[in-house]
Amino acid sequence: MSTPTRKPLDRHELWSLLSEKSDFWTEVDVVQVTGSTNADLAKAAKHGAPEGTVLIAEEQSSGHGRLDRRWVSPARAGLTMSFVLRPTVPREQWATLTLLTAVALEESLRAVCGVNAKLKWPNDVLIDGRKVCGILAQVEDGAVIVGTGLNVSLTEEELPVPEATSLALAGASTLDRETIAAAFLSHVAAVYTTWNERGPASVIERWRRNSATLGRHVAVSFPNGRKISGRAVGIDNDGCLQVALDDGAVETIAAGDIVHLRPED
Ligand code: BT5
């Protein structure tokens, strides 16, 4: 497949689409290139950047995932963005913001692009089992910076890893980045406002309904190198995954990487 022509993101169009739907966002900046939008907003949050600040980069030179992994995407081929939230709920609940973002993205993609995505614990959005978006939430001085890398028009040859996909490859009904970003940001704002007022229960329920992980056999790798495997049987209201081990014990996992071992059974 030849490389598609990619028009630059039109900030004014995005802002006008977004303002029709939501008054939550305070500022949306688009830059041509930066190291990492998460790193930029982490710095800005330290200096008091308000809730609702959004930064979108057409290209990142050192985009990152969790545990120093890389996030790689060609210029203008995706939506590479971060935003600042300043939640007022107890800090123990902040971990569920990753799940909230995944839920909001899945629901927006279904509505706007007509694709069925599924959620892989803790931070991936998948289409047909392949990763279309990764989410990275980090806490910085009382704020949470949430970053999303969404693959929009990447061709098969451009995918950085074979387990990736893009909205184009999944046959999305639109690849218009202004439309997708405005729908996603306005929906995140609505879901977040309810979450901040009433807690994470409704987000967790929506995550459960669209989960690719629950019911599956999974291999779990912990940040300290420990590994277990078992069946993902539930998710609690703190966003922790519950895995039933072969001996019947259920382990509750707050952080780790999982691999789906075989199809739902
Ligand atoms: C993530 O980490 O999936 C979180 C990615 C967050 C990226 C956004 S972009 C805007 C903001 N600014 C940043 O610097 N970061 C955020 P993790 O679960 O650790 O997954 C990382 C792994 O995903 C890599 O090791 C690759 O295997 C894979 N990967 C890298 N680029 C990808 C892509 N474009 N599509 C799908 N998979 C990718």
Side-chain angles (χ1 to χ4, degrees):
M1 207 190 285
S2 63
T3 308
T5 321
R6 293 177 169 132
K7 96 178 158 64
L9 196 70
D10 183 334
R11 195 192 82 84
H12 295 288
E13 191 193 336
L14 169 56
W15 183 254
S16 90
L17 287 173
L18 189 54
S19 329
E20 281 169 22
K21 295 167 189 277
S22 173
D23 58 8
F24 176 84
W25 302 101
T26 47
E27 186 176 333
V28 177
D29 247 349
V30 178
V31 295
Q32 290 315 303
V33 59
T34 191
S36 151
T37 55
N38 260 47
D40 291 350
L41 284 194
K43 214 177 291 164
K46 263 192 198 142
H47 293 100
E51 173 161 90
T53 304
V54 181
L55 178 62
I56 304 180
E58 291 286 41
E59 190 176 1
Q60 289 186 130
S61 53
S62 52
H64 53 87
R66 294 170 303 147
L67 306 170
D68 283 337
R69 289 186 289 235
R70 315 299 303 161
W71 184 262
V72 185
S73 184
R76 299 186 299 278
L79 275 170
T80 304
M81 70 166 109
S82 303
F83 46 84
V84 178
L85 301 175
R86 293 188 177 272
T88 53
V89 300
R91 213 159 164 135
E92 307 84 78
Q93 296 178 1
W94 293 9
T96 59
L97 282 170
T98 302
L99 306 180
L100 182 156
T101 306
V103 164
L105 184 70
E106 182 279 319
E107 293 176 350
S108 311
L109 293 181
R110 184 150 33 94
V112 174
C113 302
V115 294
N116 274 322
K118 292 275 178 206
L119 310 178
K120 174 170 180 259
W121 190 88
N123 67 322
D124 292 349
V125 180
L126 311 179
I127 300 179
D128 296 328
R130 295 160 71 185
K131 182 162 170 172
V132 73
C133 177
I135 297 162
L136 180 69
Q138 64 187 89
V139 175
E140 202 63 59
D141 274 10
V144 183
I145 316 303
V146 182
T148 59
L150 173 66
N151 297 331
V152 177
S153 61
L154 284 85
T155 62
E156 197 79 50
E157 295 74 32
E158 288 175 320
L159 298 175
V161 288
E163 314 77 52
T165 190
S166 68
L167 291 176
L169 293 169
S173 58
T174 180
L175 300 179
D176 185 78
R177 293 188 300 153
E178 290 82 0
T179 305
I180 297 168
F184 168 57
L185 285 170
S186 62
H187 195 45
V188 170
V191 182
Y192 169 72
T193 304
T194 310
W195 174 94
N196 220 5
E197 287 166 5
R198 302 199 203 134
S202 108
V203 162
I204 300 289
E205 187 46 42
R206 282 146 86 174
W207 189 91
R208 243 180 229 126
R209 279 206 296 271
N210 275 302
S211 168
T213 299
L214 296 182
R216 298 282 290 262
H217 278 91
V218 295
V220 186
S221 315
F222 293 92
N224 66 5
R226 185 176 159 240
K227 290 184 195 306
I228 58 167
S229 63
R231 191 180 169 93
V233 289
I235 182 157
D236 68 18
N237 270 356
D238 296 326
C240 297
L241 189 69
Q242 296 155 330
V243 175
L245 309 180
D246 292 338
D247 64 6
V250 174
E251 184 147 343
T252 298
I253 299 161
D257 271 306
I258 64 164
V259 175
H260 291 160
L261 290 178
R262 46 180 197 261
E264 270 161 285
D265 53 11

